[in-house]
Amino acid sequence: MRRSSVGVVVFLALLAALHGWIGWQLLPALGIAAGWQLAGALVLLISVLMMPAALMAPYLKRRGWAERHTDRVAWIGMLAMGAFSSALLLTLLRALLLQAAPWLDLPPLQLRELGTTSAWLVLALTAAATVIGLLNARRTAAVVNVEVQISGLPPQLEGFTIAQISDIHVGPTIKRPYLQAIVDKVNDLQADVVAITGDLVDGSVAQLAAHTAPLATLRARHGSYFVTGNHEYYSNAHEWIVEVQRLGLTVLMNEHVVLRHDGASLVLAGVTDFTAHHFDPAHRSDPHAAIANAPAGSPRILLAHQPRSAEAAADAGFDLQLSGHTHGGQFFPWNFFVPLQQPYVAGLKRLHRLWVYVSRGTGYWGPPKRLWAPSEITLLRLTAARSS
């Protein structure tokens, strides 16, 4: 058996075991009839089956399944994934609580009542987190205004604006109307530049071209710019680069443009995704190459999907890096795991003389769920650094 097949089997076995553990912990404690316990076990079984099926939805579509069927599978599986995440965390916390309960020296009757009440509370909180997270994820992202102080900013560039969108993940559960609402909101900002910092899609051009078409209507004084994210490389980045260019956006691949604004110049550069070389060695991310031969004395801004490009960006002499990738954790508790891979999770950070802004993303990936990590359309405004 190939290593990839072994990995799939292990993943499915672990997924089934965790669902089984949740059922073992909760169903007997609810105090419900055997028939209802069986129904609960059936729900857990459906979740076990639908979660991997949702991940296979793009493959099923390529195999000729109708889009409406694969999207329905994706919706059910992704909702199950979000609910499972909350249920697993809450069930674990409940188990720890019950382990500590004997220290409270409660009578046996009260211990049983605690077990029943806490089991129902897990279900209620799981349902609430799933519904609230869904509503948060599906609403059009709010505009977040960010001021960035740039040393030596020419007076002509005071108030220069960049509208950043990132990590939209057009795919099985995010379609044209969702993206159109984002584009309309960005256009209302009348920004000087629009920057899309990767992970636009989850699927092929053939599957999603009709749903990314609204990007052609983006409007900004100096145009719209795009850099690849890791999910473009999962979805045939070479085809998406051509498609994004066809829509009228400029794709920056380890290169820069010089924008002339009211007599001053600004250097806008972009790099391929931090991991792009794993898919195409010619696409290795290189902030130094992106800024090569740029005019001296002009503010330098880098579009880089992953925050971990920041060290190289700082070394290359950029003033500001705009990134995404992290989704701000998207929903609790994943925000605590992001720092294991990325230096920054969300917001405006400082690395030496480089400012790094990390968007929480404008869409979502996987489960349609956002908790304590709201999506955003970012309007960055450049201003001259004030003396302290």
Side-chain angles (χ1 to χ4, degrees), residues 254 256 287-295 300:
N254 300 325
H256 68 267
H288 286 85
I291 205 65
N293 301 316
R300 299 179 171 198

Side-chain angles (χ1 to χ4, degrees), residues 58-378:
Y59 170 78
L60 296 174
K61 193 177 294 183
R62 289 197 299 271
R63 298 289 293 179
W65 282 42
E67 182 174 347
R68 66 181 184 277
H69 297 319
T70 57
D71 288 349
R72 192 172 294 123
V73 168
W75 265 107
I76 296 171
M78 291 303 178
L79 284 168
M81 190 181 297
F84 165 72
S85 177
S86 293
L88 180 62
L89 174 64
L90 292 166
T91 303
L92 177 60
L93 293 175
R94 174 183 177 272
L96 294 174
L97 170 66
L98 295 180
Q99 285 291 320
W103 293 92
L104 301 176
D105 198 25
L106 296 175
L109 179 60
Q110 290 188 4
L111 283 175
R112 285 196 298 272
E113 290 176 349
L114 177 62
T116 299
T117 301
S118 59
W120 281 107
L121 184 61
V122 166
L123 295 185
L125 291 176
T126 296
T130 302
V131 171
I132 294 171
L134 173 64
L135 295 175
N136 287 340
R138 294 300 298 176
R139 71 176 180 85
T140 303
V143 176
V144 174
N145 290 280
V146 178
E147 180 182 285
V148 184
Q149 297 184 25
I150 303 294
S151 297
L153 186 75
Q156 300 95 320
L157 294 175
E158 183 71 31
F160 188 96
T161 54
I162 304 170
Q164 180 193 6
I165 54 179
S166 190
D167 301 272
I168 300 172
H169 292 280
V170 175
T173 66
I174 293 180
K175 302 295 186 180
R176 182 174 183 143
Y178 190 104
L179 180 59
Q180 185 66 64
I182 292 170
V183 168
D184 292 343
K185 203 163 188 176
V186 169
N187 286 343
D188 287 343
L189 297 176
Q190 298 183 331
D192 293 308
V193 163
V194 172
I196 305 176
T197 49
D199 279 9
L200 171 65
V201 293
D202 277 306
S204 68
V205 171
Q207 294 168 355
L208 298 177
H211 299 289
T212 56
L215 293 177
T217 63
L218 279 171
R219 297 290 178 264
R221 177 175 176 178
H222 296 290
S224 301
Y225 299 84
F226 173 82
V227 292
T228 56
N230 51 307
H231 281 251
E232 272 71 60
Y233 289 93
Y234 305 154
S235 306
N236 195 332
H238 297 86
E239 286 189 355
W240 274 113
I241 289 166
V242 173
E243 177 64 13
V244 169
Q245 290 171 330
R246 188 189 71 80
L247 292 171
L249 282 71
T250 300
V251 181
L252 296 174
M253 301 180 63
N254 300 325
E255 57 191 331
H256 68 267
V257 293
V258 179
L259 306 180
R260 308 292 180 181
H261 184 87
D262 295 342
S265 62
L266 179 145
V267 177
L268 181 68
V271 291
T272 50
D273 181 66
F274 190 85
T275 63
H277 60 283
H278 295 304
F279 302 88
D280 183 344
H283 283 206
R284 180 177 293 274
S285 186
D286 190 344
H288 286 85
I291 205 65
N293 301 316
S298 299
R300 299 179 171 198
I301 299 172
L302 178 68
L303 310 182
H305 178 62
Q306 299 196 36
R308 54 182 168 168
S309 294
E311 284 286 354
D315 186 62
F318 283 95
D319 298 291
L320 170 64
Q321 173 180 312
L322 303 183
S323 296
H325 185 68
T326 68
H327 297 213
Q330 191 162 312
F331 57 90
F332 179 86
W334 300 111
N335 51 305
F336 294 115
F337 293 96
V338 174
L340 299 178
Q341 189 203 39
Q342 299 292 333
Y344 311 112
V345 177
L348 188 63
K349 310 297 179 182
R350 188 76 159 172
L351 177 65
H352 310 308
R353 64 179 299 274
L354 172 72
W355 287 108
V356 182
Y357 186 80
V358 182
S359 167
R360 293 187 299 263
T362 316
Y364 57 86
W365 179 83
K369 183 175 184 178
R370 276 191 175 271
L371 289 174
W372 296 299
S375 56
E376 64 178 88
I377 295 167
T378 318

